[in-house]
Amino acid sequence: MSFPLLTATAALPAIGAVATAAVPAARRTAAKWLALIFSLATLVLAGIALARFEPGGARYQLTESHAWIKDFGVRYELGVDGIGVALMALTALLIPFVILAGWHDADPLETKSSRWRPTQGFFALILMVEAMVILSFEATDVFLFYILFEAMLIPMYFLIGGFGDRAHTGSDENAAAQRSYAAVKFLLYNLVGGLVMLAAVIGLYVVAGTFSLSEIAEARANGSLSMATGTERWLFLGFFFAFAVKAPLWPLHTWLPNAMGEATSPVAVLITAVVDKVGTFAMLRFCLQLFPEASKWATPVIIVLALISIVYGALLAVGQRDIKRLIAYASISHFGFIILGIFAMTSQGQSGATLYMVNHGISTAALMLVAGFLITRRGSRLIADYGGVQKVAPILAGTFLIGGLATLSLPGLAPFVSEFLVLVGAFSAYPAAGIIATTGIVLAALYVLVLYQRTMTGPVKAEVQGMADLKVRELVVVLPLIALLLFLGVYPKPLTEIVNPAVQHTMSDVQKKDPQPEVEAAK
Amino acid sequence: MNPVNYLYLAALLFTIGAAGVLIRRNAIVVFMCVELMLNACNLAFVTFSRMHGNLDGQIIAFFTMVVAAAEVVVGLAIIVSVFRSRHSASVDDASLMKL
Amino acid sequence: MENLIALLVAAPLLGAAVLLCGGRRLDRAGHWLGTLLAAASFVIGVVLFLDMLGKGAEDRTLHQKLFSWIPVEGFQADVAFQLDQLSMTFVLLITGVGTLIHIYSIGYMAHDERRRRFFGYLNLFLAAMLILVIADNYLLLYVGWEGVGLASYLLIGFWQHKPSAATAAKKAFLVNRVGDMGLSIAIMLMFTTFGTFAFGPVLEATGQTSEGKLTAIGLMLLLAACGKSAQVPLQSWLGDAMEGPTPVSALIHAATMVTAGVYLIVRSGAIFNAAPDAQLVVVVVGAVTLLFGAIVGCAKDDIKKALAGSTMSQIGYMILAAGLGPIGYVFAIMHLVTHGFFKAGLFLGAGSVMHGMNDEVDMRKFGGLRKYMPVTFITFGLGYLAIIGFPGLSGFFSKDKIIEAAFAKGGTEGWILGAVTLLGAAITAFYMTRVMLLTFFGEKRWQPDAEGHEPHPHESPKSMTIPMIVLAFGSVFAGGFFSIGDRFLNWLEPVTGHSHGHAPVSATTVTAATMVVLVIGVAIAWAMYGRKPVPVVAPRGSLLTRAARRDLLQDDFNHVVLVRGGEHLTRSLVYVDHTLVDGVVNGTAASMGGLSGRLRKLQNGYARSYAVSMFGGTAVLIAATLLMRAV
């Protein structure tokens, strides 16, 4: 039997979490280093998995399969397609940066009145989330996926509720109340989504008699399993609802700004760049693959919701006064693009959506982490409290601008490639949708540039005077992300090669063909 | 004699017991009323046994007596310990178990 | 030879990377490095040009494919370059004028502590602009298109500590993004229509699709061109863009970037030729902007803003010419090149004046400067003569051809367009004479600035005057050089095609008419500003003047409709999100809480009340059972 690479990639951070949590309270620094080493080792394993993945090979590769709960036909089945392996690698890539950026976020405060912050717990929880997210990208058994989908809420809940942003206005009690409101909101929204999905998972078992993705696909292909139209639609809605909450899609989005605003910025990155991707990933993997007919049936409504998300998210981002909430609403707009790409059901749209997931992860991480460094320095999240930072800390301002430009999809940076593919994909299937989505790029420029102008330019504010520029640790976090944004913007081929075959499989699942260009169709 | 009369008697005893449980405050009296209701049931069981000509009802009556005996043991212990701590046997005084 | 094409872009890109990432160590040598790499790019351009001249007209086009950029099923985007005569013309203009402006900036920015970064941005601009003109497909062109937008944003906002500069930069980027939206929709339309967006296949296949599709593509391309080239209705950013350092205004907002729209339309000529409706809109936009810019230019007292109005107006000429179709393409590009020389020269002259006058821009506080700045006066004067179309100078040849082409459009349209271009020429003569008189003639009117420093006008250093002299040479001779034996026409014709129209009036008549309106324009300006002393504080002026000072109220319109409206929209949406979307959820939570509060009260702790509910429940159950039986 070959080495279980996928299990190892998920198990390593889990072991790391236990090990980090077990470090004695006084040895805080050791715990940090331990967590960092484990996350880097995971990155190495993910890199090996990426290297061993053959783009032209079987649909699911590096598979593992063991019986788990025999009575219900639940199996421990793992396997990755191009989309899964790319997102797994993204997760493994981002976690070391998240850990490094949050190096001091969980240090105990000097003052007695504040809460005791167990550093070990913070880093252990981050590694725990990593383990679950990676495993959920690998799971090809619906039940296994469901368990992970729900279980990752628990460490996230503690990360949001237990370790808030220290920069807040008002009293400590008020901030604590806000934080616990955000954490509970996050939990409740996602639990309700998960509950609906549980019903759909059980329904699927009743109809199909198995949880295995490959068995269901096979049964559908040879005709031994056919779902009644009504059943398929209900099951689809159950799954989609859960993923739409996680993604999040308008109007199920309001938990995200609260959660991202109150959490520390590395945790905010964890939410939007890592955990939320499970939602959009699952739409591609489960909704389209298990319920192709129902997906096509629901497409018009979902496209409209995605368009609303794009425009609405961007408009709300313009109106925000809090830096982190602004980035959260920008993310809602971007998730609209991803969902639009998935449900446009064209090769370009779906490839674009997958690339978008990866690129959005990197670009939001860059912007959010730099914003976090800025907020830590000044101790305020309000845009109005800044001004003229560019003069005082040019490197910080420069990296912030690059992160912002990536967010507004400037050509040459990675998000442009994915956004354009999504737009082209959407446009060739639904021209009106493509045009409406294009207004998103103007609004993106608006909120990014307004944010940059108000915080970085203009006369230097008194409170900003003497602000330190980025330190070495912070540069180590930001520069690789920027390099990656540039590289994937200029040469995205390595990524598209991995993703394309998986997209073609999905396209054949939903039995859709790309619309032919008019000139060729005429020939 | 018509066995149905015994059923009327059982219903009467049960009603008296139930009224006692609902109306009286003294825990001991409430307790005795509960016993009265149980015994009313026993009477009904035995009567039905006689009417239908099998032994099931009489067997259940024995079970009921065992349960009643066990209940007396636990119930009286609780009442005594409550009386010791609060010097009152009123059921309304022991109303702390609420949200 | 093909392999040199990428080096054109690589040189300034390397400069930008080194200068922007290099840090303070490069502060002392950075500007030389930047200038050197710009010059290197120019030299490569000249080598390629000489090579191209050595070949026959048919095989002058060079291709270089670097790598496959975004390979996705059914979607091929390559990083590939195409260098033909049209691109070559732009390459030489961009790198040539660009190098001169680099040299000028060494002197102009000498006292700025962030000079290294300024040169980094300039190099970034050159790289992006070169990508724009040598890309072989629309998507790569889009990269350059947004790239120059970014460089323009960074350079307009270079003095970011000034809120006005930061706002102007943001405005420029945003307005351009609206145009970019047009370009991206055009590319999407091309993809769904032709299955590709490379120049070759798209432009060859225009005959195979409907006119409606082509019109849509053409209009979207025009929207893009309006954004980048500051044409009505997306012109409002250009005036504000003058907040940037003057070399930036000269390079980006006069000579090169703003002409990208003209390039786009001429490049997509095949699409427009097949879509007459789109062409008509192009012509109308060009004509409206031509007058709009000219009128605004008449009223501005800020020397740079007056020149910006003039730029808008001159690009209006080019767009109009491009909209005329094959009659006009060559002349649009020719005017673009000559305009590149004289407008860059005029801006550099303005910068030189400001340099000597403590950065004062109000022309009413200049006056009589010809004695103090002779070189600036002569070079600026030659640029002035060129732009108004003084016979024999560059502007004369290029503008005259456009006016002829406008008449040749034929019919009523031809007469209207001809009249508009002539009127534009008259107004050009007026406002340029006004600038000239206010700045260099008359009494000296300068005053101490806010801190009490009396300006001491002086000639600028050599690094600044030499580029001005070179550009003045171009302003004088380029037009004549191009026109002798129709050199420029023969050079570009293989790419753009050319047709001779039949003008209802002869060429001589047009030239004569142009001369007449020119004289009228100059004379009016002399009567208003030359004969009598100019007041330092601007008079209230007529309604039109006041409107023109405020950019014909276009900014006010934008402010009320877009900015205010947008603010209200976002504010109300924030409210809706908080109260309605979130409110539904919070409301559900609250009602659940209320309900459980009620239910809680039932648990009162009285054993007897629990007993009552037990009895009651039993009684109800029994009653229900009996009732069921009875039924």
Side-chain angles (χ1 to χ4, degrees), chain A residues 4 16 49 59 72-73 96 138 146 151 265 279 320 325 362 389 404 485 523:
Chain A
R59 178 165 191 181
F72 298 109
E138 297 168 346
Y146 169 74
S265 54
Q320 293 304 312
R325 286 179 70 91
I362 302 171
V389 175
L485 283 174
K523 271 177 193 166

Side-chain angles (χ1 to χ4, degrees), chain A residues 387-473:
Chain A
V389 175
Q390 198 275 336
K391 192 102 177 163
V392 191
I395 300 177
L396 195 157
T399 48
F400 191 68
L401 181 62
I402 295 177
L405 292 173
T407 302
L408 63 77
S409 301
L410 189 86
L413 297 172
F416 169 72
V417 175
S418 40
E419 189 161 303
F420 199 81
L421 281 174
V422 167
L423 287 174
V424 164
F427 186 86
S428 57
Y430 310 96
I435 291 171
I436 295 172
T438 317
T439 56
I441 71 171
V442 178
L443 293 171
L446 184 63
Y447 60 71
V448 166
L449 294 184
V450 167
L451 174 65
Y452 184 79
Q453 187 195 352
R454 295 206 181 136
T455 53
M456 298 298 173
T457 68
V460 183
K461 282 222 167 156
E463 298 89 344
V464 172
Q465 205 89 47
M467 185 183 272
D469 213 330
L470 290 188
K471 294 191 283 273
V472 175
R473 171 179 65 87

Side-chain angles (χ1 to χ4, degrees), chain A residues 185 253 312 329 458 518-519, chain C residues 160 177 193 209 213 577 582:
Chain A
K185 201 172 181 183
H253 65 275
Y312 185 89
Y329 277 106
E518 191 188 304
V519 169
Chain C
Q160 331 194 317
R177 265 259 154 155
T193 313
T209 185
K213 272 272 167 64
D577 198 53
D582 224 9

Side-chain angles (χ1 to χ4, degrees), chain C residues 29-68:
Chain C
H31 47 283
W32 292 113
L33 180 72
T35 312
L36 199 70
L37 285 169
S41 190
F42 177 62
V43 170
I44 298 167
V46 170
V47 170
L48 283 166
F49 175 63
L50 293 176
D51 176 65
M52 196 180 271
L53 280 184
K55 292 182 191 164
E58 293 314 309
D59 35 49
R60 278 178 172 170
T61 307
L62 296 178
H63 289 280
Q64 181 186 18
K65 184 182 163 182
L66 285 187
F67 54 86
S68 171

Side-chain angles (χ1 to χ4, degrees), chain A residues 112-404:
Chain A
K112 290 271 168 55
S113 66
S114 64
R115 300 153 52 115
W116 176 60
R117 289 159 180 275
T119 313
Q120 283 81 353
F122 182 70
F123 292 103
L125 286 171
I126 292 179
L127 286 176
M128 209 61 228
V129 173
E130 175 178 22
M132 291 187 200
V133 171
I134 287 184
L135 203 58
S136 70
F137 286 138
E138 297 168 346
T140 51
D141 184 281
V142 179
F143 193 80
L144 178 62
F145 175 82
Y146 169 74
I147 288 182
L148 293 162
F149 189 79
E150 290 285 87
M152 69 179 75
L153 299 179
I154 299 162
M156 283 314 297
Y157 170 78
F158 287 112
L159 280 172
I160 298 168
F163 304 89
D165 199 330
R166 287 174 190 180
H168 53 74
T169 47
S171 64
D172 280 352
E173 289 78 36
N174 195 5
Q178 287 271 323
R179 189 155 62 234
S180 84
Y181 172 72
V184 169
K185 201 172 181 183
F186 163 81
L187 193 68
L188 280 183
Y189 262 87
N190 283 286
L191 276 181
V192 169
L195 206 62
V196 176
M197 181 178 165
L198 177 64
V201 168
I202 295 170
L204 180 70
Y205 181 72
V206 171
V207 176
T210 172
F211 286 116
S212 165
L213 206 56
S214 49
E215 279 178 31
I216 295 175
E218 206 174 298
R220 298 204 79 154
N222 63 26
S224 64
L225 169 66
S226 61
M227 290 185 207
T229 318
T231 321
E232 190 184 329
R233 286 178 186 174
W234 280 111
L235 292 179
F236 167 82
L237 287 178
F239 276 82
F240 184 79
F241 181 75
F243 304 149
V245 169
K246 195 99 159 190
L249 184 67
W250 186 89
L252 304 170
H253 65 275
T254 50
W255 64 270
L256 187 69
N258 285 78
M260 279 178 75
E262 297 303 325
T264 63
S265 54
V267 173
V269 170
L270 210 56
I271 298 170
T272 183
V274 177
V275 173
D276 285 355
K277 296 294 182 296
V278 179
T280 45
F281 163 79
M283 286 181 197
L284 262 177
R285 165 75 56 92
F286 295 104
C287 284
L288 295 196
Q289 213 165 312
L290 292 174
F291 317 108
E293 291 306 318
S295 301
K296 281 189 266 188
W297 163 73
T299 295
V301 177
I302 294 172
I303 294 231
V304 168
L305 290 180
L307 289 176
I308 294 177
S309 279
I310 292 172
V311 177
Y312 185 89
L315 280 173
L316 267 126
V318 177
Q320 293 304 312
R321 288 178 298 174
D322 176 319
I323 298 177
K324 286 164 79 184
R325 286 179 70 91
L326 188 151
I327 300 175
Y329 277 106
S331 282
I332 291 169
S333 178
H334 288 143
F335 280 113
F337 274 107
I338 296 176
I339 295 170
L340 178 67
I342 292 173
F343 281 88
M345 297 199 195
T346 53
S347 304
Q348 299 89 40
Q350 295 196 338
S351 293
T354 311
L355 292 187
Y356 212 124
M357 290 185 220
V358 176
N359 294 338
H360 172 259
I362 302 171
S363 68
T364 309
L367 183 65
M368 193 70 183
L369 292 178
V370 179
F373 299 150
L374 180 72
I375 289 167
T376 314
R377 280 169 166 68
R378 166 77 176 77
S380 166
R381 306 202 303 249
L382 293 182
I383 296 171
D385 285 347
Y386 295 87
V389 175
Q390 198 275 336
K391 192 102 177 163
V392 191
I395 300 177
L396 195 157
T399 48
F400 191 68
L401 181 62
I402 295 177

Side-chain angles (χ1 to χ4, degrees), chain C residues 190-213:
Chain C
M190 284 175 201
F191 180 74
T192 53
T193 313
F194 305 108
T196 173
F197 31 75
F199 289 150
V202 168
L203 299 176
E204 277 161 25
T206 47
Q208 295 168 40
T209 185
S210 65
E211 196 186 309
K213 272 272 167 64

Side-chain angles (χ1 to χ4, degrees), chain C residues 443-511:
Chain C
E443 295 299 308
K444 58 181 185 184
R445 296 183 298 273
W446 56 82
Q447 297 162 338
D449 60 15
E451 288 148 30
H453 298 296
E454 180 82 20
H456 298 285
H458 55 85
E459 190 53 87
S460 299
K462 283 254 161 41
S463 63
M464 287 169 69
T465 49
I466 289 174
M468 284 152 59
I469 295 169
V470 176
L471 287 172
F473 261 91
S475 320
V476 176
F477 299 113
F481 178 78
F482 290 158
S483 296
I484 295 171
D486 284 339
R487 274 193 191 133
F488 201 75
L489 185 65
N490 297 334
W491 160 253
L492 269 190
E493 199 186 343
V495 183
T496 58
H498 187 66
S499 68
H500 291 278
H502 298 284
V505 283
S506 73
T508 343
T509 324
V510 170
T511 312

